[in-house]
Amino acid sequence: MRKVLVASHGKFASGIANSLTLFLGESANIATIDAYVEGEVKNYESDIKTFITSIGKNEEGLIFTDILGGSVNQKVVQFAQGKENIFIISNMNLPIMINLILSAEALTNETINRLIKESQVRLITYDEGFENMSDDEFL
């Protein structure tokens, strides 16, 4: 089983989790941590620890964070240290999240790095011929 946590500054985590649910359905069962939300006093560190301890030896944990080296990412790295079945992906984006969550392959560093390369941000320019395509061709 693959468990997923999305953790970020502000409400980015819950927002992108909402988008994931649109694509993957409610069964995706994505946990979220929205840290440093104005007006909320919540210890997100305990939520990270709870998620990490919930991952069994025969399960895979995917933790997506918003900013490499940011405070949320630092805490995730600190608490997940030494857990070989937990993978932390920073600078998350929707394509990599979908690819990793749906991947039928067992997670390894090599598999994750390959999927990250496939999910890179790309610059789309007008000279690529998109202006003459119909909406159906994008689907």
Side-chain angles (χ1 to χ4, degrees):
M1 181 176 178
R2 191 168 290 160
K3 293 185 177 180
V4 178
L5 172 65
V6 182
S8 72
H9 298 82
K11 295 190 177 189
F12 181 50
S14 58
I16 203 163
N18 180 270
S19 294
L20 284 168
T21 302
L22 284 171
F23 287 101
L24 307 177
E26 293 291 334
S27 64
N29 196 24
I30 298 161
T32 60
I33 295 174
D34 292 327
Y36 307 109
V37 175
E38 189 174 333
E40 293 182 21
V41 179
K42 189 172 181 182
N43 182 358
Y44 73 90
E45 293 178 23
S46 64
D47 293 341
I48 295 170
K49 289 177 186 176
T50 299
F51 178 81
I52 289 171
T53 58
S54 77
I55 299 170
K57 291 181 181 180
N58 296 322
E59 295 178 314
E60 296 173 323
L62 274 172
I63 303 177
F64 296 97
T65 64
D66 54 353
I67 301 172
L68 175 64
S71 56
V72 175
N73 178 260
Q74 288 178 31
K75 290 299 178 186
V76 167
V77 170
Q78 176 186 348
F79 299 141
Q81 216 167 28
K83 311 273 192 224
E84 292 186 18
N85 59 336
I86 297 177
F87 300 90
I88 304 164
I89 293 84
S90 68
N91 305 335
M92 62 183 157
N93 67 39
L94 200 55
I96 188 56
M97 296 170 85
I98 291 170
N99 280 341
L100 284 171
I101 292 168
L102 292 180
S103 176
E105 298 177 67
L107 294 180
T108 64
N109 289 344
E110 293 79 20
T111 299
I112 292 171
N113 280 322
R114 179 177 48 77
L115 291 172
I116 286 172
K117 285 181 184 175
E118 292 173 9
S119 302
Q120 289 293 315
V121 174
R122 290 178 175 86
L123 171 65
I124 304 295
T125 61
Y126 290 106
D127 60 341
E128 293 181 33
F130 293 123
E131 65 275 355
N132 295 323
M133 293 177 76
S134 71
D135 287 343
D136 292 336
E137 292 177 272
F138 278 102
L139 303 176

